[in-house]
Amino acid sequence: MLKDLFQKRKYATIPSEKTKREIPEGLMNKCPKCGTIQTSKELEKNLKVCTACGYHYRLNAMERIQITLDGGQILEYDQDMISEDPLQFPDYIEKLEKAKNTTKLQDAIITGEGTIGGYPVIVAAMSFDFMGGSLGSVVGERITRAVEAAIEKKCPIIIYSTSGGARMQESILSLMQMAKTSAALSRLSEEGGLFISIITDPTFGGVSASFAMLGDIILAEPAAPFGFTGRRVIEQTIKQKLPDNFQTSEFNLEHGQLDKVVSRKEMRPTLIKLLDMHGVKGEVASGE
């Protein structure tokens, strides 16, 4: 009894505001799915995949390039191509400048050439952090030119898609990119070229309704949501509750929309196997 009376109590230490301020911002990350806290360095080493539950964090275009191409090197195409404001949409120029400053990109995509496992490829990687990866005139033109380069160089093209849909500030000019990119991919198919489409979180709207779903081989990262219209709009329209896993890559694989769901760690090895199976030759710069 006396032992219990004089036993020291255990207290939790709450960091002071000064201590909180001294911790560098961005040092730690909390998984949005399972809540596990990891250091940024640990997360980077694991290709931004949660070590506890396998949740795939979003990557920007340059991060995709770095983990896909040999040495992370790319010879980039059309770096100086930028969006203008043909429809004089209110605040569009300001939003473009803000996105450029935040992402250090000229638009929502990077295209170029390099090698994967020594195999020459043309790559296009979209970036959701640039205005939601919206499909505007520049994105459509860059993809079209990348496809044309694949035809000319007789190389496969790999496109990483992530987008909220068409860029509303460009109206019908944005919608025209769906037809333009699809027509370019049709020419690639006629020439016997290979197009590998990779779906990432999230892929919706005009992108999913055009080039993203036209791949000869369509892969997706785990749990990546993609479709044409978002879940909430569909539920409101049909007045029914949709399955919990609706529009995930696993759901779409089950319903025949995908060829394979591939984890981020296995994506590069899978691409190398596919390129090897198709006897890829062609010639591109190393990107160095």
Side-chain angles (χ1 to χ4, degrees):
M1 183 175 177
L2 289 174
K3 183 180 178 182
D4 294 336
L5 182 64
F6 292 103
Q7 188 177 17
K8 290 184 178 180
R9 295 182 181 179
K10 295 180 180 179
Y11 295 94
T13 303
I14 301 175
S16 65
E17 288 301 318
K18 180 181 178 181
T19 304
K20 290 179 181 178
R21 288 195 296 270
E22 290 174 350
I23 299 175
E25 188 176 351
L27 183 65
M28 307 297 289
N29 290 272
K30 182 178 180 181
C31 176
K33 183 178 179 182
C34 71
T36 299
I37 297 176
Q38 303 163 82
T39 64
S40 295
K41 183 177 284 189
E42 181 183 19
L43 199 59
E44 292 284 348
K45 189 181 295 184
N46 206 42
L47 304 183
K48 287 196 174 180
V49 176
C50 176
T51 56
C53 70
Y55 173 79
H56 284 50
Y57 287 74
R58 290 176 183 171
L59 297 181
N60 61 38
M62 188 49 69
E63 288 172 325
R64 294 280 179 199
I65 297 297
Q66 290 170 347
I67 68 172
T68 301
L69 294 177
D70 294 341
Q73 298 290 328
I74 185 172
L75 178 63
E76 190 174 345
Y77 296 160
D78 305 311
Q79 296 182 60
D80 299 328
M81 188 183 296
I82 59 173
S83 294
E84 295 187 347
D85 186 16
L87 304 181
Q88 298 183 336
F89 197 95
D91 302 323
Y92 184 32
I93 293 297
E94 289 78 5
K95 289 182 178 179
L96 282 172
E97 290 305 314
K98 182 179 179 180
K100 289 178 186 178
N101 292 332
T102 302
T103 64
K104 308 305 178 186
L105 298 174
Q106 292 287 55
D107 215 293
I109 196 166
I110 292 176
T111 59
E113 60 185 62
T115 60
I116 300 177
Y119 294 103
V121 292
I122 308 296
V123 172
M126 299 188 71
S127 210
F128 192 79
D129 54 0
F130 193 106
M131 296 187 70
S134 49
L135 175 61
S137 300
V138 166
V139 173
E141 182 64 18
R142 284 191 183 184
I143 289 176
T144 301
R145 292 190 183 193
V147 174
E148 290 171 346
I151 296 171
E152 179 185 347
K153 295 174 180 287
K154 300 187 183 304
C155 288
I157 181 167
I158 298 170
I159 300 180
Y160 280 97
S161 294
T162 176
S163 177
R167 188 168 296 179
M168 59 173 288
Q169 291 88 349
E170 294 187 19
S171 188
I172 194 169
L173 298 178
S174 174
L175 297 179
M176 288 170 63
Q177 307 311 310
M178 297 170 62
K180 182 166 71 176
T181 54
S182 297
L185 287 168
S186 177
R187 293 196 297 273
L188 176 71
S189 180
E190 290 172 0
E191 294 290 331
L194 174 64
F195 168 33
I196 301 176
S197 178
I198 304 175
I199 308 294
T200 70
D201 174 24
T203 302
F204 284 99
V207 169
S208 68
S210 56
F211 59 85
M213 296 307 294
L214 293 177
D216 299 299
I217 300 170
I218 305 177
L219 309 176
E221 289 190 331
F226 77 95
F228 181 63
T229 304
R231 178 192 188 96
R232 180 172 53 84
V233 174
I234 296 174
E235 287 186 332
Q236 290 176 348
T237 302
I238 66 175
K239 309 299 180 185
Q240 292 181 26
K241 180 170 175 55
L242 297 167
D244 292 337
N245 68 339
F246 181 70
Q247 290 184 323
T248 62
S249 21
E250 291 77 10
F251 180 90
N252 282 289
L253 176 65
E254 185 181 338
H255 289 78
Q257 295 279 58
L258 286 175
D259 292 302
K260 191 175 179 63
V261 176
V262 183
S263 67
R264 190 168 293 162
K265 282 186 173 182
E266 292 301 316
M267 188 63 76
R268 179 177 151 86
T270 298
L271 290 174
I272 292 173
K273 286 180 183 177
L274 291 172
L275 295 171
D276 183 56
M277 287 169 56
H278 284 79
V280 170
K281 296 178 182 179
E283 292 183 6
V284 296
S286 64
E288 297 179 355

